[in-house]
Amino acid sequence: TGQDKEMAVFSVPSYACQRRTTLDNQNTTLTDALSLLAENAELSDEDGRGVAFRRAAAVLKALPKPVTDMAQLRGLPCLGEHSLRVIRDILENGMSSEVESTKQSERYKALKVLTGIFGVGAKTADRWIREGIHTLHQLRDSGHTLNRAQQAGVFLHYDDLNRPVSKADADIIGETVGKAVDAVLPGAQVTLIGGFRRGKLTGHDVDFLITHPEEGREEGLMPKVVSWLESRGFLLYQKTTRNSYLECKDGPARPPSNIDRFERCLSIFKLANEETGGTTQLETLTENGTEPAGHRPWRAVRVDLVVSPVSQFAFALLGWTGSKLFERELRRWAGYEKAMSLSSHALYDNKQSRYLRATSEEEIFAHLGLEYIPPSERNA
Ligand code: TTP
Ligand code: MN
Ligand code: MN
Ligand code: MN
């Protein structure tokens, strides 16, 4: 029919790492719905379902135009029965009852509130919910002993840490981190990674990768950077984990999981407010009784610092730029299509039984037989 001729037909490769996914998403209604179901599955310890919804959402993010008709989806990869049902509901009825009822459910709402606490993951949240704890008030009244991270997350900085961080804030923090690194190890380099490297305008945290052009000089760097920052009052919280890559049993060969072993620091930064002088916002008390942001000249921001030896820098850069699904798909591609194991430390070729070196992301894509995808197009 004439209508069919007008309708855009899409074609998309199977792996997200073969696609150019910019931030210009033409299907936000559909991808928001699928992402919510993914999040709910992940928070409910159903990772398989979570990944399936993430993959489906990623396919829609890669389409150049809004989907208007189910027929346009014919032949597209990664769209399972369940995801197609959600998409059909939204195209036909303007909404998916599954998404709406998930969003309204007490369990989902409680999971969101509790995992919004720094240091609280799905498992802890689930345990609390089964004890009837659904809100921050109930958590406080429960008498549970919280660890240091969770105390910072609940009592001190809940609202700040759940407010998006802007690129401008990320740049200011980047300058401070740069100063710290330069002071303790001249010549060391700081690179903005994570969502901001992909061009996002806001994020839930700010991520930095630190290295030094001379292999080995980066050893022991993190504690020095952290002391520099701490002594100048830039840190509200920090937990440093040392590099465990060389200690791991099998040696550096094929780290089995996607969890990397770099020296890293999870921190909460104290970011001074940009604006000149007095408070203009009129806030009273925040929902959870912490001091409102408008009454103090700073805000709390989550910052991740990672230190990599220069020999692993390209792998660390690629592994920490994201998106999370893009990373997962790169590893899946490497394993299934190339018989290689990719981590944030190295690329191992199982057929040749050897590591493949790389000093740039471009080289890693080439080793993997993939077209190079720049960070701004890794927003799967
Ligand atoms: P995140 O900071 O969690 O995500 P993001 O920066 O893409 O998004 P947001 O704006 O919400 O902050 O992680 C950044 C990248 O780091 C992501 O690709 C996964 C990777 N990463 C690891 O490799 N190891 C880890 O332990 C963590 C937490 C992240
Ligand atoms: Mn299903
Ligand atoms: Mn991030
Ligand atoms: Mn992070």
Side-chain angles (χ1 to χ4, degrees):
T1 72
Q3 225 183 344
D4 281 345
K5 273 189 203 136
E6 303 285 316
M7 209 161 62
V9 175
F10 305 121
S11 154
V12 165
S14 308
Y15 289 83
C17 55
Q18 299 172 289
R19 311 195 283 252
R20 298 180 181 277
T21 312
T22 66
L23 289 166
D24 183 22
N25 177 355
Q26 298 293 311
N27 287 284
T28 49
T29 306
L30 296 175
T31 60
D32 285 352
L34 293 168
S35 300
L36 185 136
L37 296 180
E39 183 190 26
N40 186 57
E42 288 158 359
L43 291 176
S44 304
D45 206 21
E46 296 173 25
D47 290 341
R49 260 158 49 86
V51 174
F53 286 129
R54 295 267 175 225
R55 285 207 188 112
V59 165
L60 301 182
K61 284 181 196 172
L63 301 181
K65 289 203 171 90
V67 175
T68 53
D69 192 300
M70 290 303 285
Q72 293 171 289
L73 302 179
R74 232 174 271 145
L76 290 185
C78 309
L79 298 178
E81 198 185 313
H82 197 156
S83 294
L84 285 171
R85 186 165 73 236
V86 172
I87 297 168
R88 180 180 297 111
D89 281 349
I90 294 173
L91 292 182
E92 288 176 2
N93 314 318
M95 58 93 102
S96 146
S97 50
E98 183 183 2
V99 171
E100 294 312 312
S101 68
T102 301
K103 213 188 290 185
Q104 300 307 322
S105 73
E106 286 307 313
R107 182 181 159 77
Y108 176 77
K109 284 191 278 187
L111 280 169
K112 286 289 279 182
V113 168
L114 297 176
T115 57
I117 302 169
F118 177 53
V120 175
K123 282 214 176 72
T124 305
D126 180 67
R127 183 157 39 82
W128 288 341
I129 291 169
R130 282 191 272 108
E131 292 171 28
I133 298 167
H134 287 206
T135 65
L136 297 184
H137 286 289
Q138 288 168 342
L139 176 60
R140 288 175 172 187
D141 295 345
S142 72
H144 274 291
T145 312
L146 302 179
N147 67 31
R148 206 164 56 88
Q150 293 164 351
Q151 283 178 29
V154 187
F155 295 106
L156 303 175
H157 312 300
Y158 188 85
D159 295 296
D160 274 5
L161 298 185
N162 283 285
R163 181 177 316 140
V165 184
S166 69
K167 177 64 165 57
D169 288 346
D171 288 337
I172 293 169
I173 292 170
E175 276 175 39
T176 304
V177 173
K179 262 186 217 163
V181 166
D182 201 52
V184 301
L185 181 63
Q189 291 158 8
V190 178
T191 307
L192 183 64
I193 47 176
F196 287 114
R197 182 159 184 257
R198 302 195 308 273
K200 282 179 66 181
L201 298 175
T202 62
H204 94 283
D205 70 356
V206 193
D207 310 282
F208 296 100
L209 177 60
I210 305 168
T211 193
H212 189 284
E214 250 176 83
E215 186 85 358
R217 292 289 299 280
E218 80 294 340
E219 274 173 38
L221 179 56
M222 190 72 88
K224 291 181 197 153
V225 171
V226 169
S227 326
W228 192 97
L229 292 167
E230 220 157 28
S231 67
R232 283 159 186 79
F234 285 114
L235 297 184
L236 295 161
Y237 169 94
Q238 66 85 16
K239 184 168 189 284
T240 302
T241 318
R242 51 200 195 106
N243 185 327
S244 59
Y245 189 55
L246 296 169
E247 298 162 15
C248 109
K249 266 209 200 91
D250 334 315
R254 283 168 290 166
S257 73
N258 52 15
I259 297 163
D260 67 61
R261 298 187 163 80
F262 290 116
E263 185 172 38
R264 54 190 278 187
C265 176
L266 304 186
S267 75
I268 300 178
F269 250 68
K270 182 172 186 174
L271 174 66
N273 286 348
E274 269 284 79
E275 103 278 354
T276 51
T279 304
T280 47
Q281 280 162 284
L282 287 175
E283 292 179 73
T284 50
L285 262 188
T286 61
E287 150 77 17
N288 53 324
T290 54
E291 192 186 0
H295 289 202
R296 47 180 163 76
W298 56 271
R299 67 161 291 189
V301 176
R302 273 273 299 111
V303 174
D304 285 337
L305 305 176
V306 189
V307 172
S308 152
V310 70
S311 61
Q312 298 171 21
F313 180 78
F315 298 98
L317 184 61
L318 179 59
W320 277 82
T321 295
S323 68
K324 284 191 188 87
L325 184 76
F326 192 91
E327 302 296 339
R328 179 185 267 277
E329 294 278 280
L330 271 176
R331 291 190 299 266
R332 190 165 71 98
W333 168 273
Y336 279 79
E337 305 295 333
K338 298 287 158 181
M340 294 179 186
S341 314
L342 175 68
S343 75
S344 294
H345 297 278
L347 178 62
Y348 187 80
D349 185 329
N350 293 298
K351 286 190 215 143
Q352 302 184 51
S353 301
R354 69 178 185 101
Y355 287 96
L356 304 178
R357 305 204 155 271
T359 54
S360 67
E361 291 181 316
E362 283 86 344
E363 283 178 73
I364 303 174
F365 280 87
H367 282 319
L368 291 169
L370 287 169
E371 212 175 295
Y372 177 67
I373 309 285
S376 62
E377 296 176 336
R378 296 181 203 160
N379 286 291

